Amino acid sequence: MLKANYHTHTKLCNHAEGMPEDYIKEAISLGFKELGMSDHGPVPREFMSEEEYLNNWIQRNMTLEEYYSIYLPALDEAISKYGSKIKIYKGLEVEYIPGHEEYYIGLKANLDYLNLGIHYFLSDGIEKNSYDDVNYKTIYDYADIAIKGMETGIYNCLVHPDLFYFNYKNEEGKQVFDKHCIKVSHMICETASRLGIYLEVNANGLANSLKYGHKDEWLYPRKEFWEIAKTYPNLRIIIGADAHKIKNLYSADVKAVEEFAHKLGLKVEDYMKI
Ligand SMILES: [Zn+2]
Ligand SMILES: [Zn+2]
């Protein structure tokens, strides 16, 4: 039974519903002890070309202006209203673009934690999309960004670390969890384990897998990845709802992921130490 969730979106990202207060009320009624809000963070337009910006759907994210004038005040208001009933953490889900460390540190100055989500990654000088552009070569660029991001010490958790498999293509253009996937899984788990950064088993992967025609097979959370993760005894693992709807805070998919982790024998922590 889930007691906390640290991956929660709001309507400010333009592909989710609700504001912090809506999720907090739901979390209280579910008996959660902690809730972390972590909507998709703003990305300044000048960080990449227009093509990269659009290819990676960043136009949907909240703007810097909305971050300061809407998101942070909504969190503070929710904390003053509900803070005695549930522990509320202020966070964001952001990327890692090398060279912009100061920017992420600046965002974190107003927050309790940052989730690192690699929705795009620098490869051959271009920000490539993790849902479209991962193959037996570019998978190492995905891993490189994940590892360098974790090594900055800015982030608390790498969410959906196994997203690289979403549309992965091997040398023959087939989707197989091959030696490259295995190697990258070890690289990510070793780094997270060494640095004490949480890896998240992401419940939104089920809906995303289904949306792309994979009925019985989850693209992520990916069993092969988490079997490797299990071999790192000190690795910190958390389950994340990645809720884009209020009802998804503790949905059938979250329960299925709890069952998945339990069956695999993963040592999942109830709370993220922030
Ligand atoms: Zn999202
Ligand atoms: Zn998310």
Side-chain angles (χ1 to χ4, degrees), residues 7 9 13 15-16 39-40 60 93 119 131 204 242-244:
H7 194 161
H9 292 281
C13 70
H15 63 276
D39 204 7
H40 296 283
R60 302 190 304 189
E93 176 178 16
H119 302 93
Y131 298 86
N204 198 34
D242 196 357
H244 288 72

Side-chain angles (χ1 to χ4, degrees), residues 37-64:
M37 295 300 305
S38 62
D39 204 7
H40 296 283
V43 183
R45 188 66 196 73
E46 63 270 22
F47 279 11
M48 58 186 80
S49 75
E50 182 161 5
E51 199 185 343
E52 291 167 295
Y53 207 80
L54 295 175
N55 272 347
N56 296 311
W57 319 309
I58 305 168
Q59 72 280 8
R60 302 190 304 189
N61 292 22
M62 73 173 85
T63 63
L64 206 52

Side-chain angles (χ1 to χ4, degrees), residues 98-118:
H100 291 298
E101 291 78 3
E102 292 306 320
Y103 173 71
Y104 301 112
I105 291 167
L107 291 177
K108 201 181 180 183
N110 295 292
L111 300 169
D112 300 307
Y113 72 104
L114 285 180
N115 281 339
L116 171 61
I118 315 281

